[in-house]
Short mmCIF file of all heavy atoms in Angstrom, two decimals:
data_model
loop_
_atom_site.label_atom_id
_atom_site.label_comp_id
_atom_site.label_asym_id
_atom_site.label_seq_id
_atom_site.Cartn_x
_atom_site.Cartn_y
_atom_site.Cartn_z
N GLU A 50 -0.08 9.49 -19.83
CA GLU A 50 -0.50 8.15 -20.19
C GLU A 50 -1.90 7.75 -19.81
O GLU A 50 -2.51 6.86 -20.38
CB GLU A 50 0.49 7.10 -19.57
CG GLU A 50 1.90 7.26 -20.14
CD GLU A 50 2.79 6.10 -19.76
OE1 GLU A 50 2.28 4.97 -19.67
OE2 GLU A 50 3.99 6.32 -19.53
N PHE A 51 -2.49 8.43 -18.81
CA PHE A 51 -3.80 8.04 -18.28
C PHE A 51 -4.77 9.22 -18.36
O PHE A 51 -4.43 10.35 -18.02
CB PHE A 51 -3.67 7.54 -16.83
CG PHE A 51 -2.65 6.45 -16.68
CD1 PHE A 51 -1.56 6.62 -15.83
CD2 PHE A 51 -2.81 5.25 -17.34
CE1 PHE A 51 -0.61 5.63 -15.68
CE2 PHE A 51 -1.88 4.24 -17.20
CZ PHE A 51 -0.75 4.42 -16.38
N LEU A 107 -11.83 2.12 -6.26
CA LEU A 107 -11.20 2.14 -7.61
C LEU A 107 -11.34 0.79 -8.24
O LEU A 107 -11.37 -0.25 -7.57
CB LEU A 107 -9.72 2.50 -7.45
CG LEU A 107 -9.35 3.89 -6.93
CD1 LEU A 107 -7.87 3.97 -6.58
CD2 LEU A 107 -9.69 4.95 -7.98
N VAL A 108 -11.34 0.78 -9.59
CA VAL A 108 -11.38 -0.49 -10.35
C VAL A 108 -10.05 -0.67 -11.08
O VAL A 108 -9.16 -1.38 -10.60
CB VAL A 108 -12.57 -0.51 -11.33
CG1 VAL A 108 -12.59 -1.83 -12.10
CG2 VAL A 108 -13.90 -0.30 -10.60
N ASP A 109 -9.87 -0.02 -12.21
CA ASP A 109 -8.59 -0.05 -12.93
C ASP A 109 -7.97 1.35 -12.82
O ASP A 109 -8.60 2.34 -13.16
CB ASP A 109 -8.79 -0.45 -14.41
CG ASP A 109 -9.20 -1.87 -14.57
OD1 ASP A 109 -8.87 -2.72 -13.68
OD2 ASP A 109 -9.86 -2.21 -15.56
N PHE A 110 -6.71 1.41 -12.41
CA PHE A 110 -6.11 2.69 -12.07
C PHE A 110 -4.61 2.60 -11.92
O PHE A 110 -4.05 1.51 -11.79
CB PHE A 110 -6.70 3.19 -10.72
CG PHE A 110 -6.47 2.20 -9.57
CD1 PHE A 110 -5.34 2.31 -8.75
CD2 PHE A 110 -7.35 1.16 -9.34
CE1 PHE A 110 -5.12 1.40 -7.74
CE2 PHE A 110 -7.14 0.22 -8.32
CZ PHE A 110 -6.05 0.36 -7.51
N TYR A 111 -3.97 3.75 -12.02
CA TYR A 111 -2.56 3.91 -11.56
C TYR A 111 -2.59 4.79 -10.31
O TYR A 111 -3.26 5.82 -10.31
CB TYR A 111 -1.71 4.57 -12.64
CG TYR A 111 -0.34 4.84 -12.20
CD1 TYR A 111 0.64 3.82 -12.11
CD2 TYR A 111 0.06 6.14 -11.81
CE1 TYR A 111 1.93 4.09 -11.64
CE2 TYR A 111 1.36 6.41 -11.37
CZ TYR A 111 2.29 5.37 -11.29
OH TYR A 111 3.57 5.65 -10.83
N ILE A 112 -1.89 4.37 -9.28
CA ILE A 112 -1.84 5.15 -8.05
C ILE A 112 -0.41 5.27 -7.58
O ILE A 112 0.39 4.35 -7.78
CB ILE A 112 -2.73 4.49 -6.94
CG1 ILE A 112 -2.95 5.44 -5.76
CG2 ILE A 112 -2.17 3.14 -6.49
CD1 ILE A 112 -4.08 5.01 -4.82
N LEU A 131 -4.53 -2.47 -1.79
CA LEU A 131 -5.28 -2.07 -2.98
C LEU A 131 -6.40 -3.06 -3.29
O LEU A 131 -6.27 -4.25 -2.98
CB LEU A 131 -4.30 -1.97 -4.15
CG LEU A 131 -3.21 -0.90 -3.99
CD1 LEU A 131 -2.19 -1.02 -5.12
CD2 LEU A 131 -3.80 0.50 -3.92
N ARG A 132 -7.44 -2.57 -3.92
CA ARG A 132 -8.63 -3.36 -4.17
C ARG A 132 -9.09 -4.05 -2.91
O ARG A 132 -9.45 -5.22 -2.87
CB ARG A 132 -8.41 -4.36 -5.31
CG ARG A 132 -8.29 -3.68 -6.69
CD ARG A 132 -8.16 -4.67 -7.81
NE ARG A 132 -8.19 -4.00 -9.11
CZ ARG A 132 -7.83 -4.61 -10.25
NH1 ARG A 132 -7.48 -5.88 -10.23
NH2 ARG A 132 -7.88 -3.93 -11.39
N TYR A 143 -4.88 -6.60 -1.91
CA TYR A 143 -3.47 -6.77 -2.22
C TYR A 143 -2.60 -5.87 -1.37
O TYR A 143 -2.80 -4.65 -1.32
CB TYR A 143 -3.21 -6.46 -3.69
CG TYR A 143 -3.97 -7.38 -4.64
CD1 TYR A 143 -5.12 -6.94 -5.31
CD2 TYR A 143 -3.57 -8.71 -4.84
CE1 TYR A 143 -5.80 -7.76 -6.14
CE2 TYR A 143 -4.27 -9.55 -5.70
CZ TYR A 143 -5.40 -9.04 -6.34
OH TYR A 143 -6.12 -9.90 -7.19
N ILE A 145 0.94 -4.42 -1.03
CA ILE A 145 2.15 -4.18 -1.85
C ILE A 145 3.03 -3.21 -1.12
O ILE A 145 2.52 -2.15 -0.65
CB ILE A 145 1.76 -3.68 -3.25
CG1 ILE A 145 0.80 -4.71 -3.92
CG2 ILE A 145 3.00 -3.42 -4.09
CD1 ILE A 145 0.25 -4.24 -5.23
N VAL A 190 1.71 1.82 -8.37
CA VAL A 190 1.14 0.55 -8.83
C VAL A 190 0.09 0.86 -9.91
O VAL A 190 -0.75 1.75 -9.73
CB VAL A 190 0.48 -0.22 -7.67
CG1 VAL A 190 -0.13 -1.55 -8.21
CG2 VAL A 190 1.47 -0.57 -6.56
N LEU A 191 0.13 0.06 -10.97
CA LEU A 191 -0.89 0.12 -12.02
C LEU A 191 -1.71 -1.16 -11.91
O LEU A 191 -1.19 -2.25 -12.05
CB LEU A 191 -0.24 0.22 -13.40
CG LEU A 191 -1.17 0.08 -14.63
CD1 LEU A 191 -2.18 1.18 -14.66
CD2 LEU A 191 -0.34 0.05 -15.91
N MET A 192 -3.01 -0.99 -11.65
CA MET A 192 -3.96 -2.14 -11.58
C MET A 192 -4.81 -2.10 -12.85
O MET A 192 -5.61 -1.15 -13.03
CB MET A 192 -4.83 -2.02 -10.35
CG MET A 192 -4.09 -1.85 -9.04
SD MET A 192 -3.22 -3.32 -8.46
CE MET A 192 -4.56 -4.37 -7.93
N ASP A 193 -4.63 -3.09 -13.69
CA ASP A 193 -5.36 -3.10 -14.98
C ASP A 193 -5.86 -4.53 -15.19
O ASP A 193 -5.12 -5.41 -15.65
CB ASP A 193 -4.42 -2.69 -16.09
CG ASP A 193 -5.16 -2.50 -17.42
OD1 ASP A 193 -6.40 -2.54 -17.43
OD2 ASP A 193 -4.48 -2.34 -18.46
N GLY A 194 -7.15 -4.76 -14.84
CA GLY A 194 -7.70 -6.09 -14.93
C GLY A 194 -6.96 -7.00 -13.98
O GLY A 194 -6.82 -6.69 -12.77
N GLU A 195 -6.47 -8.13 -14.48
CA GLU A 195 -5.73 -9.07 -13.62
C GLU A 195 -4.26 -8.76 -13.50
O GLU A 195 -3.56 -9.43 -12.80
CB GLU A 195 -5.90 -10.49 -14.19
CG GLU A 195 -5.29 -10.72 -15.52
CD GLU A 195 -5.45 -12.14 -16.04
OE1 GLU A 195 -6.28 -12.88 -15.47
OE2 GLU A 195 -4.75 -12.49 -17.01
N GLU A 196 -3.79 -7.73 -14.21
CA GLU A 196 -2.37 -7.40 -14.19
C GLU A 196 -2.10 -6.34 -13.12
O GLU A 196 -2.80 -5.35 -13.02
CB GLU A 196 -1.90 -6.89 -15.54
CG GLU A 196 -1.94 -7.99 -16.60
CD GLU A 196 -1.28 -7.50 -17.90
OE1 GLU A 196 -1.11 -6.28 -18.07
OE2 GLU A 196 -0.97 -8.36 -18.76
N ILE A 197 -1.05 -6.57 -12.30
CA ILE A 197 -0.62 -5.67 -11.26
C ILE A 197 0.83 -5.29 -11.55
O ILE A 197 1.76 -6.10 -11.40
CB ILE A 197 -0.69 -6.36 -9.89
CG1 ILE A 197 -2.10 -6.91 -9.64
CG2 ILE A 197 -0.23 -5.41 -8.79
CD1 ILE A 197 -2.19 -7.83 -8.42
N SER A 198 1.02 -4.09 -12.04
CA SER A 198 2.36 -3.62 -12.38
C SER A 198 2.91 -2.68 -11.33
O SER A 198 2.24 -1.73 -10.96
CB SER A 198 2.35 -2.93 -13.75
OG SER A 198 1.96 -3.80 -14.76
N ILE A 199 4.10 -2.95 -10.83
CA ILE A 199 4.68 -2.19 -9.78
C ILE A 199 5.74 -1.24 -10.34
O ILE A 199 6.57 -1.65 -11.18
CB ILE A 199 5.34 -3.15 -8.71
CG1 ILE A 199 4.25 -4.06 -8.12
CG2 ILE A 199 6.01 -2.32 -7.61
CD1 ILE A 199 4.79 -5.12 -7.18
N TYR A 200 5.68 -0.02 -9.89
CA TYR A 200 6.65 1.01 -10.31
C TYR A 200 7.35 1.54 -9.08
O TYR A 200 6.75 1.75 -8.03
CB TYR A 200 5.94 2.16 -11.02
CG TYR A 200 5.41 1.77 -12.39
CD1 TYR A 200 4.21 1.06 -12.52
CD2 TYR A 200 6.12 2.08 -13.56
CE1 TYR A 200 3.75 0.70 -13.79
CE2 TYR A 200 5.64 1.73 -14.79
CZ TYR A 200 4.48 1.03 -14.90
OH TYR A 200 4.02 0.68 -16.15
N THR A 207 8.05 -4.68 -12.21
CA THR A 207 7.56 -6.01 -12.60
C THR A 207 6.07 -5.97 -12.78
O THR A 207 5.38 -5.06 -12.30
CB THR A 207 7.92 -7.08 -11.56
OG1 THR A 207 7.75 -8.39 -12.12
CG2 THR A 207 7.07 -6.97 -10.30
N THR A 208 5.52 -7.00 -13.45
CA THR A 208 4.09 -7.20 -13.59
C THR A 208 3.71 -8.56 -13.00
O THR A 208 4.31 -9.58 -13.37
CB THR A 208 3.61 -7.09 -15.04
OG1 THR A 208 3.84 -5.76 -15.51
CG2 THR A 208 2.13 -7.42 -15.16
N LEU A 209 2.74 -8.57 -12.14
CA LEU A 209 2.19 -9.81 -11.54
C LEU A 209 0.77 -10.03 -12.16
O LEU A 209 0.17 -9.12 -12.65
CB LEU A 209 2.07 -9.67 -10.03
CG LEU A 209 3.27 -9.07 -9.32
CD1 LEU A 209 2.95 -8.82 -7.87
CD2 LEU A 209 4.47 -10.00 -9.45
N THR A 210 0.32 -11.29 -12.05
CA THR A 210 -0.99 -11.60 -12.57
C THR A 210 -1.82 -12.28 -11.48
O THR A 210 -1.37 -13.30 -10.89
CB THR A 210 -0.91 -12.57 -13.79
OG1 THR A 210 -0.14 -11.92 -14.80
CG2 THR A 210 -2.31 -12.86 -14.32
N ASP A 211 -2.96 -11.67 -11.12
CA ASP A 211 -3.87 -12.28 -10.13
C ASP A 211 -5.26 -11.63 -10.35
O ASP A 211 -5.36 -10.41 -10.43
CB ASP A 211 -3.38 -11.98 -8.72
CG ASP A 211 -4.12 -12.82 -7.68
OD1 ASP A 211 -5.26 -12.41 -7.34
OD2 ASP A 211 -3.58 -13.81 -7.21
N ASP A 212 -6.28 -12.48 -10.43
CA ASP A 212 -7.63 -11.93 -10.73
C ASP A 212 -8.58 -12.12 -9.55
O ASP A 212 -9.79 -12.04 -9.70
CB ASP A 212 -8.18 -12.63 -11.96
CG ASP A 212 -8.36 -14.13 -11.79
OD1 ASP A 212 -8.03 -14.69 -10.70
OD2 ASP A 212 -8.83 -14.78 -12.76
N PHE A 214 -9.25 -10.16 -6.83
CA PHE A 214 -10.00 -8.99 -6.43
C PHE A 214 -10.08 -8.01 -7.57
O PHE A 214 -9.09 -7.39 -7.95
CB PHE A 214 -9.32 -8.32 -5.21
CG PHE A 214 -9.09 -9.28 -4.05
CD1 PHE A 214 -7.81 -9.50 -3.61
CD2 PHE A 214 -10.16 -9.92 -3.41
CE1 PHE A 214 -7.57 -10.36 -2.54
CE2 PHE A 214 -9.92 -10.79 -2.37
CZ PHE A 214 -8.65 -11.00 -1.90
N PRO A 215 -11.25 -7.84 -8.19
CA PRO A 215 -11.37 -7.00 -9.40
C PRO A 215 -11.52 -5.51 -9.10
O PRO A 215 -11.33 -4.67 -9.99
CB PRO A 215 -12.62 -7.53 -10.07
CG PRO A 215 -13.45 -8.07 -8.97
CD PRO A 215 -12.49 -8.62 -7.96
N TRP A 216 -11.89 -5.12 -7.88
CA TRP A 216 -12.07 -3.71 -7.53
C TRP A 216 -12.04 -3.59 -6.01
O TRP A 216 -12.04 -4.58 -5.29
CB TRP A 216 -13.40 -3.18 -8.07
CG TRP A 216 -14.60 -3.78 -7.42
CD1 TRP A 216 -15.13 -5.01 -7.68
CD2 TRP A 216 -15.38 -3.23 -6.36
NE1 TRP A 216 -16.22 -5.23 -6.86
CE2 TRP A 216 -16.39 -4.17 -6.03
CE3 TRP A 216 -15.29 -2.04 -5.63
CZ2 TRP A 216 -17.32 -3.95 -5.06
CZ3 TRP A 216 -16.26 -1.81 -4.64
CH2 TRP A 216 -17.25 -2.75 -4.34
N TRP A 241 -5.01 7.97 -11.05
CA TRP A 241 -5.62 8.21 -12.34
C TRP A 241 -6.37 6.97 -12.75
O TRP A 241 -5.87 5.86 -12.65
CB TRP A 241 -4.56 8.45 -13.42
CG TRP A 241 -3.76 9.72 -13.30
CD1 TRP A 241 -3.96 10.88 -14.00
CD2 TRP A 241 -2.63 9.99 -12.48
NE1 TRP A 241 -3.01 11.81 -13.67
CE2 TRP A 241 -2.16 11.30 -12.72
CE3 TRP A 241 -1.90 9.20 -11.54
CZ2 TRP A 241 -1.08 11.85 -12.07
CZ3 TRP A 241 -0.83 9.76 -10.90
CH2 TRP A 241 -0.42 11.07 -11.16
N GLY A 242 -7.57 7.09 -13.23
CA GLY A 242 -8.27 5.99 -13.83
C GLY A 242 -7.64 5.67 -15.16
O GLY A 242 -7.14 6.52 -15.87
N THR A 243 -7.66 4.39 -15.54
CA THR A 243 -7.02 4.01 -16.83
C THR A 243 -8.06 4.02 -17.97
O THR A 243 -7.69 3.81 -19.13
CB THR A 243 -6.44 2.62 -16.73
OG1 THR A 243 -7.44 1.66 -16.39
CG2 THR A 243 -5.32 2.59 -15.68
N GLY A 244 -9.36 4.29 -17.65
CA GLY A 244 -10.36 4.41 -18.73
C GLY A 244 -10.45 5.80 -19.29
O GLY A 244 -9.64 6.68 -18.97
N ASP A 245 -11.46 6.01 -20.09
CA ASP A 245 -11.68 7.32 -20.72
C ASP A 245 -12.25 8.32 -19.70
O ASP A 245 -12.96 7.92 -18.76
CB ASP A 245 -12.62 7.19 -21.93
CG ASP A 245 -11.98 6.36 -23.02
OD1 ASP A 245 -10.74 6.35 -23.09
OD2 ASP A 245 -12.75 5.70 -23.77
#
Side-chain angles (χ1 to χ4, degrees):
E50 297 191 34
F51 306 119
L107 294 168
V108 181
D109 291 333
F110 57 93
Y111 174 78
I112 193 166
L131 298 172
R132 289 184 175 168
Y143 298 104
I145 302 173
V190 179
L191 172 62
M192 307 289 286
D193 188 9
E195 65 180 13
E196 294 187 344
I197 304 168
S198 298
I199 300 174
Y200 289 80
T207 195
T208 296
L209 314 171
T210 301
D211 192 282
D212 62 0
F214 307 119
W216 67 281
W241 292 260
T243 60
D245 295 332

